[in-house]
Amino acid sequence: RIEGTTTWTGAARLAASTTTLGFNGGASLPGDVIFEGAATGVRAITMVTAGTLTIPAGVAVYTEPGFLGTGQLGGSQHWASAMNLVNEGTIVFQSTASRSLDFRATTVVNNATIGCTTSDLSFVTGFVNTGAMSSTSGKAVFGGAWDNSAGTVSLVDGDLTLGGTFTTAGVGTINRSGTTTVSLTGALEPVAHD
């Protein structure tokens, strides 16, 4: 449980299965967080009390080579309070073993960078993207209510599943290169006309 004016030098390393950092609402991540280790369980950042968790500019959440677990931002690993995640920093998930990063926050707002390489990104409850998202040789699954109208999604040799609910304008810019597949499994919301 991280609270008050806790800071760290370097990075917090989550190596063991079910290792979790819990924050109170209104907190900012005080430094980098690294998901690492060969244990296959979940490493998570969750909320002890409901509210917003901000990843500020200059702070990163990322994986080390050889990571074999699953990453989770928000949700019910140890603590189950609602998280409103605001990313102003960098979230990068890389694995050589097709692992996944699950966004289980109640809301996710990406104003900066989220990316994966040979891994999966899963947005369970939706998001708003005004920044850049990328997937290289991996999968991205958009669920819940989502909006990419002011952001960019880039795919290189990967798959994107447009699930959940969205509008035509909310699809925004999706750049594809290499062998990519975009699948529609969600509900395209109708737009009212005058």
Side-chain angles (χ1 to χ4, degrees):
R1 181 175 184 165
I2 309 297
E3 57 188 341
T5 58
T6 302
T7 61
W8 52 74
T9 302
R13 295 178 169 274
L14 307 183
S17 182
T18 71
T19 304
T20 303
L21 292 176
F23 292 88
N24 291 323
S28 288
L29 205 60
D32 291 354
V33 176
I34 302 172
F35 296 159
E36 64 182 0
T40 59
V42 173
R43 316 309 190 271
I45 299 173
T46 62
M47 300 305 287
V48 177
T49 61
T52 299
L53 175 65
T54 300
I55 301 172
V59 172
V61 175
Y62 61 98
T63 56
E64 285 286 316
F67 176 64
L68 296 179
T70 298
Q72 184 174 305
L73 300 176
S76 61
Q77 186 72 21
H78 297 293
W79 297 286
S81 295
M83 174 191 284
N84 301 312
L85 179 64
V86 177
N87 181 39
E88 304 286 346
T90 303
I91 301 171
V92 179
F93 207 75
Q94 302 177 74
S95 176
T96 57
S98 294
R99 307 317 288 175
S100 70
L101 175 60
D102 298 333
F103 288 83
R104 295 185 176 273
T106 305
T107 60
V108 177
V109 176
N110 178 46
N111 297 319
T113 304
I114 296 175
C116 72
T117 302
T118 319
S119 302
D120 299 342
L121 292 176
S122 175
F123 292 88
V124 177
T125 56
F127 65 88
V128 173
N129 181 35
T130 63
M133 294 177 155
S134 65
S135 176
T136 302
S137 301
K139 296 178 186 174
V141 178
F142 296 171
W146 57 270
D147 183 350
N148 183 52
S149 60
T152 301
V153 174
S154 299
L155 299 172
V156 178
D157 295 325
D159 299 325
L160 173 62
T161 300
L162 305 178
T165 57
F166 55 96
T167 64
T168 303
V171 172
T173 301
I174 299 174
N175 299 315
R176 299 172 34 184
S177 63
T179 304
T180 62
T181 302
V182 177
S183 303
L184 175 62
T185 62
L188 180 60
E189 294 289 310
V191 178
H193 296 282
D194 293 332

